[in-house]
Amino acid sequence: MPFDKSAADVLFIKGEYERAAQMYLEGAREGEEIAAFNYAYCLLNGYGVERDPGLAKSFFSYARDMAGGESCYNLAVMYLDGWGVERNYRTAMQYMSDAADLGCVEAKLYLGMAYTLGCVFFPDITSICMIPYHKYEARSEGQYLLEGEIANTPEDEEERFSVIRADARRAFEYFSDAAHSDPTYVEDLVAHGKFLYARCFIDGLGTDFNREVGLRLMLNAGKSGSEDAVAFLAENGITEALLNEWSEADKPRKRLK
């Protein structure tokens, strides 16, 4: 009988983890990438099977080319944290780059910040679930990829800064990609990407300084649901009406005949 993702997901959601995990495993054996991903997720967290991050890595690897980049993102986080694998920042960054190329907005935001800071860090978004659809899991509510952290020794810190160099242009490109991503399931993260994209123009990060463009993008970010954007606009007294007034004032006046 062919793999039925919907039936397996229903079992998982109902808490029948053992039966769901078995169905995901059978689907993985049939060559279904999404089944392999979901079985890896069960292994990673101990849902219906004994927790085994090392084996989870193998199943995530099988699904590494899955559209959307969720599997590559989870692999990147595992290598960043040394979770079931030996910590390896260079391998983590390669998986993170692959995840971004496959469309993962979490990876785009991470890389934008990594290239802004010039180092790798452990992200606040710790993994992505696909049961029944894309859903990211974060360490705390309301915390985004501005405050990633990792416990490290001086030697570890040196390595984190050696893996990647600050590159404002690449940071801008990743923030732009995040801002223009499909918001389905990740509307709040895309809104955050729009906020960071707007800041690039306001701060001249990786692109020409253009305050008006940045502020209009900030308005769009606020309308998309970015609380950071709303707070920025309120703090600076910026409204859409005010921006329109400035635009009118900047237009060249018609010469009187």
Side-chain angles (χ1 to χ4, degrees):
M1 186 175 180
F3 172 62
D4 185 340
K5 179 182 183 299
S6 296
D9 288 349
V10 167
L11 288 172
F12 186 95
I13 293 168
K14 290 170 61 178
E16 297 183 37
Y17 301 128
E18 289 187 17
R19 291 178 62 194
Q22 183 60 38
M23 289 185 68
Y24 293 138
L25 176 58
E26 291 171 0
R29 288 171 174 164
E30 294 171 9
E32 296 284 348
E33 287 186 332
I34 187 62
F37 178 95
N38 287 342
Y39 187 62
Y41 180 79
C42 290
L43 287 166
L44 193 64
N45 296 282
Y47 286 117
V49 292
E50 185 176 349
R51 186 174 175 275
D52 189 338
L55 186 56
K57 183 262 180 185
S58 297
F59 280 90
F60 279 135
S61 294
Y62 180 82
R64 62 179 295 173
D65 295 326
M66 191 173 70
E70 291 91 350
S71 194
C72 281
Y73 183 87
N74 283 358
L75 285 165
V77 174
M78 291 179 76
Y79 275 100
L80 282 171
D81 193 39
W83 194 9
V85 296
E86 184 176 352
R87 179 178 288 170
N88 188 313
Y89 295 135
R90 293 187 185 279
T91 300
M93 290 303 290
Q94 183 58 61
Y95 276 123
M96 196 68 78
S97 178
D98 291 344
D101 289 344
L102 287 165
C104 180
V105 68
E106 290 89 345
K108 295 173 185 179
L109 288 171
Y110 178 92
L111 289 168
M113 190 53 58
Y115 279 110
T116 299
L117 300 173
C119 71
V120 301
F121 57 92
F122 189 68
D124 298 314
I125 294 177
T126 58
S127 66
I128 298 173
C129 171
M130 290 292 288
I131 305 171
Y133 47 77
H134 182 113
K135 179 176 62 177
Y136 68 84
E137 299 172 344
R139 284 188 285 140
S140 61
E141 292 295 325
Q143 187 177 32
Y144 292 103
L145 297 169
L146 289 172
E147 301 178 17
E149 61 184 44
I150 191 168
N152 57 274
T153 63
E155 295 80 9
D156 182 74
E157 183 173 349
E158 182 178 347
E159 182 181 357
R160 290 192 298 112
F161 277 88
S162 71
V163 169
I164 186 173
R165 294 283 184 266
D167 188 327
R169 184 62 192 177
R170 294 195 72 179
F172 169 76
E173 290 170 352
Y174 277 117
F175 289 145
S176 174
D177 284 349
H180 295 93
S181 294
D182 180 356
T184 306
Y185 306 131
V186 288
E187 185 176 0
D188 53 343
L189 292 184
V190 172
H192 189 57
K194 291 181 178 181
F195 164 73
L196 294 171
Y197 181 52
R199 285 299 301 259
C200 288
F201 286 95
I202 292 170
D203 299 334
L205 176 69
T207 189
D208 292 336
F209 170 81
N210 191 321
R211 184 168 176 79
E212 182 175 351
V213 168
L215 291 175
R216 290 200 177 278
L217 289 170
M218 193 66 75
L219 281 169
N220 183 45
K223 291 177 181 178
S224 296
S226 170
E227 294 182 3
D228 289 323
V230 172
F232 178 93
L233 293 165
E235 183 178 336
N236 290 276
I238 304 298
T239 64
E240 189 166 9
L242 181 60
L243 281 179
N244 289 337
E245 285 181 21
W246 290 351
S247 295
E248 288 296 322
D250 287 340
K251 288 181 180 178
R253 294 181 179 179
K254 294 181 181 179
R255 293 181 181 177
L256 295 175
K257 294 183 179 180

PDB file of all heavy atoms in Angstrom, residues 103-119:
ATOM      1  N   GLY A 103      14.707  27.643  -0.923  1.00  0.00           N
ATOM      2  CA  GLY A 103      13.563  28.481  -0.600  1.00  0.00           C
ATOM      3  C   GLY A 103      13.237  28.650   0.867  1.00  0.00           C
ATOM      4  O   GLY A 103      12.211  29.248   1.211  1.00  0.00           O
ATOM      5  N   CYS A 104      14.074  28.161   1.770  1.00  0.00           N
ATOM      6  CA  CYS A 104      13.779  28.220   3.207  1.00  0.00           C
ATOM      7  C   CYS A 104      13.991  29.635   3.746  1.00  0.00           C
ATOM      8  O   CYS A 104      15.127  30.123   3.810  1.00  0.00           O
ATOM      9  CB  CYS A 104      14.670  27.229   3.949  1.00  0.00           C
ATOM     10  SG  CYS A 104      14.396  27.197   5.732  1.00  0.00           S
ATOM     11  N   VAL A 105      12.926  30.302   4.158  1.00  0.00           N
ATOM     12  CA  VAL A 105      13.038  31.684   4.626  1.00  0.00           C
ATOM     13  C   VAL A 105      13.823  31.768   5.927  1.00  0.00           C
ATOM     14  O   VAL A 105      14.547  32.749   6.173  1.00  0.00           O
ATOM     15  CB  VAL A 105      11.643  32.330   4.774  1.00  0.00           C
ATOM     16  CG1 VAL A 105      10.853  31.704   5.908  1.00  0.00           C
ATOM     17  CG2 VAL A 105      11.765  33.829   4.968  1.00  0.00           C
ATOM     18  N   GLU A 106      13.718  30.748   6.791  1.00  0.00           N
ATOM     19  CA  GLU A 106      14.497  30.744   8.033  1.00  0.00           C
ATOM     20  C   GLU A 106      15.990  30.793   7.724  1.00  0.00           C
ATOM     21  O   GLU A 106      16.756  31.488   8.404  1.00  0.00           O
ATOM     22  CB  GLU A 106      14.174  29.493   8.852  1.00  0.00           C
ATOM     23  CG  GLU A 106      12.779  29.465   9.456  1.00  0.00           C
ATOM     24  CD  GLU A 106      11.742  28.859   8.528  1.00  0.00           C
ATOM     25  OE1 GLU A 106      12.017  28.719   7.307  1.00  0.00           O
ATOM     26  OE2 GLU A 106      10.639  28.542   9.014  1.00  0.00           O
ATOM     27  N   ALA A 107      16.405  30.056   6.691  1.00  0.00           N
ATOM     28  CA  ALA A 107      17.817  30.034   6.305  1.00  0.00           C
ATOM     29  C   ALA A 107      18.246  31.374   5.717  1.00  0.00           C
ATOM     30  O   ALA A 107      19.359  31.852   5.963  1.00  0.00           O
ATOM     31  CB  ALA A 107      18.070  28.910   5.310  1.00  0.00           C
ATOM     32  N   LYS A 108      17.371  31.998   4.941  1.00  0.00           N
ATOM     33  CA  LYS A 108      17.696  33.302   4.352  1.00  0.00           C
ATOM     34  C   LYS A 108      17.910  34.346   5.441  1.00  0.00           C
ATOM     35  O   LYS A 108      18.857  35.148   5.376  1.00  0.00           O
ATOM     36  CB  LYS A 108      16.570  33.741   3.409  1.00  0.00           C
ATOM     37  CG  LYS A 108      16.405  32.845   2.188  1.00  0.00           C
ATOM     38  CD  LYS A 108      15.170  33.242   1.380  1.00  0.00           C
ATOM     39  CE  LYS A 108      14.927  32.283   0.229  1.00  0.00           C
ATOM     40  NZ  LYS A 108      13.720  32.639  -0.558  1.00  0.00           N
ATOM     41  N   LEU A 109      17.046  34.347   6.443  1.00  0.00           N
ATOM     42  CA  LEU A 109      17.196  35.281   7.550  1.00  0.00           C
ATOM     43  C   LEU A 109      18.475  35.005   8.330  1.00  0.00           C
ATOM     44  O   LEU A 109      19.206  35.928   8.713  1.00  0.00           O
ATOM     45  CB  LEU A 109      15.984  35.195   8.480  1.00  0.00           C
ATOM     46  CG  LEU A 109      14.678  35.775   7.940  1.00  0.00           C
ATOM     47  CD1 LEU A 109      13.522  35.427   8.871  1.00  0.00           C
ATOM     48  CD2 LEU A 109      14.780  37.281   7.769  1.00  0.00           C
ATOM     49  N   TYR A 110      18.745  33.732   8.578  1.00  0.00           N
ATOM     50  CA  TYR A 110      19.951  33.367   9.314  1.00  0.00           C
ATOM     51  C   TYR A 110      21.195  33.852   8.571  1.00  0.00           C
ATOM     52  O   TYR A 110      22.081  34.476   9.158  1.00  0.00           O
ATOM     53  CB  TYR A 110      20.025  31.854   9.513  1.00  0.00           C
ATOM     54  CG  TYR A 110      21.286  31.431  10.239  1.00  0.00           C
ATOM     55  CD1 TYR A 110      21.302  31.304  11.625  1.00  0.00           C
ATOM     56  CD2 TYR A 110      22.467  31.201   9.542  1.00  0.00           C
ATOM     57  CE1 TYR A 110      22.462  30.961  12.293  1.00  0.00           C
ATOM     58  CE2 TYR A 110      23.638  30.859  10.200  1.00  0.00           C
ATOM     59  CZ  TYR A 110      23.627  30.737  11.574  1.00  0.00           C
ATOM     60  OH  TYR A 110      24.790  30.404  12.229  1.00  0.00           O
ATOM     61  N   LEU A 111      21.276  33.568   7.281  1.00  0.00           N
ATOM     62  CA  LEU A 111      22.462  33.938   6.518  1.00  0.00           C
ATOM     63  C   LEU A 111      22.601  35.454   6.399  1.00  0.00           C
ATOM     64  O   LEU A 111      23.718  35.984   6.433  1.00  0.00           O
ATOM     65  CB  LEU A 111      22.405  33.294   5.134  1.00  0.00           C
ATOM     66  CG  LEU A 111      22.606  31.776   5.133  1.00  0.00           C
ATOM     67  CD1 LEU A 111      22.244  31.185   3.772  1.00  0.00           C
ATOM     68  CD2 LEU A 111      24.054  31.427   5.487  1.00  0.00           C
ATOM     69  N   GLY A 112      21.475  36.156   6.278  1.00  0.00           N
ATOM     70  CA  GLY A 112      21.550  37.611   6.259  1.00  0.00           C
ATOM     71  C   GLY A 112      22.181  38.146   7.518  1.00  0.00           C
ATOM     72  O   GLY A 112      23.039  39.041   7.482  1.00  0.00           O
ATOM     73  N   MET A 113      21.786  37.600   8.669  1.00  0.00           N
ATOM     74  CA  MET A 113      22.349  38.052   9.930  1.00  0.00           C
ATOM     75  C   MET A 113      23.794  37.592  10.091  1.00  0.00           C
ATOM     76  O   MET A 113      24.646  38.324  10.595  1.00  0.00           O
ATOM     77  CB  MET A 113      21.493  37.552  11.093  1.00  0.00           C
ATOM     78  CG  MET A 113      21.866  38.169  12.437  1.00  0.00           C
ATOM     79  SD  MET A 113      21.885  39.982  12.423  1.00  0.00           S
ATOM     80  CE  MET A 113      20.202  40.337  11.918  1.00  0.00           C
ATOM     81  N   ALA A 114      24.101  36.359   9.646  1.00  0.00           N
ATOM     82  CA  ALA A 114      25.470  35.849   9.756  1.00  0.00           C
ATOM     83  C   ALA A 114      26.432  36.711   8.952  1.00  0.00           C
ATOM     84  O   ALA A 114      27.540  37.025   9.420  1.00  0.00           O
ATOM     85  CB  ALA A 114      25.526  34.399   9.272  1.00  0.00           C
ATOM     86  N   TYR A 115      26.020  37.122   7.753  1.00  0.00           N
ATOM     87  CA  TYR A 115      26.882  37.980   6.933  1.00  0.00           C
ATOM     88  C   TYR A 115      26.921  39.412   7.460  1.00  0.00           C
ATOM     89  O   TYR A 115      27.867  40.155   7.200  1.00  0.00           O
ATOM     90  CB  TYR A 115      26.439  37.949   5.475  1.00  0.00           C
ATOM     91  CG  TYR A 115      26.952  36.739   4.731  1.00  0.00           C
ATOM     92  CD1 TYR A 115      26.089  35.726   4.331  1.00  0.00           C
ATOM     93  CD2 TYR A 115      28.307  36.592   4.459  1.00  0.00           C
ATOM     94  CE1 TYR A 115      26.563  34.602   3.667  1.00  0.00           C
ATOM     95  CE2 TYR A 115      28.794  35.466   3.805  1.00  0.00           C
ATOM     96  CZ  TYR A 115      27.917  34.481   3.407  1.00  0.00           C
ATOM     97  OH  TYR A 115      28.400  33.364   2.761  1.00  0.00           O
ATOM     98  N   THR A 116      25.909  39.813   8.201  1.00  0.00           N
ATOM     99  CA  THR A 116      25.950  41.118   8.862  1.00  0.00           C
ATOM    100  C   THR A 116      26.951  41.107  10.010  1.00  0.00           C
ATOM    101  O   THR A 116      27.757  42.029  10.180  1.00  0.00           O
ATOM    102  CB  THR A 116      24.559  41.493   9.400  1.00  0.00           C
ATOM    103  OG1 THR A 116      23.631  41.568   8.314  1.00  0.00           O
ATOM    104  CG2 THR A 116      24.596  42.840  10.107  1.00  0.00           C
ATOM    105  N   LEU A 117      26.911  40.031  10.815  1.00  0.00           N
ATOM    106  CA  LEU A 117      27.772  39.920  11.990  1.00  0.00           C
ATOM    107  C   LEU A 117      29.177  39.442  11.649  1.00  0.00           C
ATOM    108  O   LEU A 117      30.126  39.722  12.382  1.00  0.00           O
ATOM    109  CB  LEU A 117      27.147  38.943  12.988  1.00  0.00           C
ATOM    110  CG  LEU A 117      25.760  39.294  13.533  1.00  0.00           C
ATOM    111  CD1 LEU A 117      25.227  38.150  14.371  1.00  0.00           C
ATOM    112  CD2 LEU A 117      25.818  40.573  14.352  1.00  0.00           C
ATOM    113  N   GLY A 118      29.298  38.678  10.567  1.00  0.00           N
ATOM    114  CA  GLY A 118      30.592  38.107  10.209  1.00  0.00           C
ATOM    115  C   GLY A 118      30.958  36.905  11.038  1.00  0.00           C
ATOM    116  O   GLY A 118      32.142  36.631  11.272  1.00  0.00           O
ATOM    117  N   CYS A 119      29.948  36.141  11.480  1.00  0.00           N
ATOM    118  CA  CYS A 119      30.220  34.921  12.245  1.00  0.00           C
ATOM    119  C   CYS A 119      28.995  34.016  12.209  1.00  0.00           C
ATOM    120  O   CYS A 119      27.903  34.453  11.831  1.00  0.00           O
ATOM    121  CB  CYS A 119      30.581  35.236  13.698  1.00  0.00           C
ATOM    122  SG  CYS A 119      29.200  35.833  14.696  1.00  0.00           S
TER     123      CYS A 119
END
